[in-house]
Amino acid sequence: MAMEVESHRSPPNRGNQMNKYLMTSFKFLNYSALLITSAIFPLLFRLYFINGGQRKWFTSWLQTSAWPLTLIPLAVSYLYRRRLCAATNQPPPKLWISKPPVAVAGSLLGLLIGLGDFLYAYAADYLPVSTSSIIVSTQLAFTALFAFLIVRQKFTAFSVNAVVLLMTSSVLLGLNANGDRPEGVSKGKYLLGFFLLLLASALYGLFLPLLELTYNKAKHAVCYTMAMEVQLLIGFFATAFCTVGMIANNDFHVIEREAQVFGLGELKYYMIVTWSSIICEILFIAIVGTVFYGSALLSGIIYSVSIPITEVSAVIFLDESFSSAKGVALVLSFWGFAYYFYGEYKMSKKKSPMVVEPVLEDS
């Protein structure tokens, strides 16, 4: 028998409850990492493109290529479980605890993320960060809709208002194509980037409830170790998907040449792509942790909070314009977020607190 930690909702059991402060620290770490990394990575990708980067499959690959970093929390988890087993005179824990159905689900989710990453990278070449971040805010609406359909999340009047307002903000940006296009980007390419990014937001919005469904349908204890194993599979298969695209597009052979002519210099080229990869992996680990500790909808909410950070940073550091139409769209997105957050707050007051307890799982 191996001891694991299962997340579920039940009346408090102080005898088995994990240290309250440790649990709070885990949540804070995941939520903070999600907020910070989701605000930074769009800036790095845009910096790559505006300084001469052109490889869309390569930037797709970067978003999950640091998946081996997931081995770090998995190793820590294994050592922790091993210590618990030794302290209770139990056999050593398994290295891999996810059952085959969960592993298959993680692999398929990886392919879905790989496709979403490519759509995002393709769109990022044609859209300024301040515009793309507002379009990505529609992910919250898609997450709410798919969560309602897939995991039976209650869909309140607040959620409906959020969907309408967020979609309106995106339509407003689409109608403002002429005044917001970066230099050298045609209206056709701008609109293509707009719709591809909207599609990517829909795929990411679908991904979160499917991830939550994977946890809900698992036929064994749902623990943080399992969540990290799922992320490992997601990262591996998403990277494999984008690797095939890179090979077909001959990207591996032109990276060195692209670095040599990069606008900020070869060293900064490798710094940008390396940190982009690391930050994106931390982002995905934080997303998985947030869904585990909270829900798909909570992950979407926190992601939306990063939008104003990205908006302001793009105007300050990338010298992007901030038109009146974009300002109206931003206000609408804030309005939608406020509706949604207030609705979620009211719903959370009716739910029991989450308790994390140690449970015994067959080795």
Side-chain angles (χ1 to χ4, degrees):
M1 304 285 283
M3 184 171 286
E4 266 302 328
V5 176
E6 180 183 10
S7 172
H8 60 93
R9 297 187 183 276
S10 64
N13 185 330
R14 296 184 183 275
N16 291 327
Q17 188 172 0
M18 179 184 283
N19 183 283
K20 178 181 178 181
Y21 298 106
L22 180 61
M23 191 65 195
T24 301
S25 298
F26 276 135
K27 290 182 179 180
F28 178 78
L29 182 62
N30 276 276
Y31 302 164
S32 299
L34 175 55
L35 176 63
I36 294 170
T37 55
S38 59
I40 293 175
F41 92 88
L43 301 173
L44 291 175
F45 275 74
R46 186 59 187 161
L47 196 60
Y48 165 84
F49 283 116
I50 64 177
N51 285 283
Q54 299 178 344
R55 317 313 299 181
K56 297 178 178 62
W57 276 112
F58 177 48
T59 48
S60 307
W61 182 84
L62 286 175
Q63 294 177 59
T64 53
S65 60
W67 62 266
L69 290 177
T70 312
L71 293 172
I72 297 175
L74 280 174
V76 172
S77 174
Y78 176 76
L79 293 175
Y80 173 74
R81 290 182 292 127
R82 187 180 179 89
R83 189 183 66 177
L84 284 179
C85 290
T88 53
N89 295 319
Q90 297 182 67
K94 295 179 180 179
L95 281 172
W96 186 271
I97 66 171
S98 296
K99 299 291 194 270
V102 174
V104 171
S107 303
L108 294 176
L109 286 174
L111 297 176
L112 179 66
I113 283 295
L115 176 59
D117 289 346
F118 174 70
L119 295 176
Y120 179 89
Y122 204 100
D125 191 18
Y126 301 137
L127 299 173
V129 171
S130 51
T131 297
S132 63
S133 61
I134 297 178
I135 299 174
V136 170
S137 71
T138 60
Q139 178 183 323
L140 179 58
F142 289 118
T143 300
L145 176 60
F146 289 128
F148 170 73
L149 296 174
I150 296 173
V151 295
R152 304 304 183 197
Q153 179 76 31
K154 290 186 178 180
F155 205 61
T156 65
F158 298 100
S159 301
V160 173
N161 283 328
V163 170
V164 172
L165 289 167
L166 288 168
M167 295 304 294
T168 301
S169 70
S170 292
V171 171
L172 182 61
L173 287 173
L175 295 176
N176 190 48
N178 283 326
D180 190 47
R181 294 200 313 271
E183 279 188 40
V185 176
S186 66
K187 183 175 182 179
K189 287 184 176 180
Y190 180 95
L191 291 175
L192 176 62
F194 177 89
F195 288 114
L196 287 180
L197 188 55
L198 196 60
L199 180 57
S201 298
L203 289 179
Y204 291 142
L206 174 63
F207 164 77
L208 293 173
L210 287 178
L211 180 61
E212 186 175 351
L213 181 66
T214 300
Y215 296 159
N216 293 344
K217 295 296 184 180
K219 296 181 179 179
H220 55 88
V222 179
C223 56
Y224 187 73
T225 300
M226 192 203 80
M228 288 297 98
E229 289 176 351
V230 170
Q231 169 54 25
L232 186 72
L233 291 169
I234 291 172
F236 176 81
F237 279 93
T239 304
F241 177 88
C242 295
T243 299
V244 173
M246 285 187 68
I247 293 173
N249 202 43
N250 201 35
D251 279 9
F252 285 107
H253 294 87
V254 299
I255 291 175
E256 183 178 357
R257 185 166 66 249
E258 184 177 72
Q260 293 172 351
V261 298
F262 190 64
L264 297 178
E266 187 172 358
L267 176 61
K268 289 187 177 180
Y269 175 88
Y270 288 113
M271 289 178 61
I272 289 172
V273 298
T274 299
W275 278 108
S276 295
S277 180
I278 293 172
I279 287 174
C280 283
E281 184 57 30
I282 295 173
L283 169 61
F284 275 111
I285 291 175
I287 287 173
V288 169
T290 301
V291 174
F292 172 73
Y293 286 121
S295 67
L297 294 177
L298 177 60
S299 180
I301 290 171
I302 296 175
Y303 192 92
S304 296
V305 177
S306 70
I307 292 172
I309 302 174
T310 305
E311 288 279 344
V312 174
S313 299
V315 173
I316 295 174
F317 297 110
L318 301 183
D319 198 28
E320 292 188 356
S321 62
F322 197 82
S323 63
S324 57
K326 192 180 297 183
V328 173
L330 182 60
V331 170
L332 289 175
S333 67
F334 275 132
W335 190 4
F337 166 72
Y339 261 117
Y340 186 82
F341 181 80
Y342 182 67
E344 281 298 297
Y345 173 76
K346 291 191 67 176
M347 290 296 296
S348 68
K349 301 295 286 185
K350 300 178 182 178
K351 295 179 180 179
S352 301
M354 185 178 76
V355 178
V356 177
E357 302 175 356
V359 299
L360 294 177
E361 183 179 280
D362 292 335
S363 294

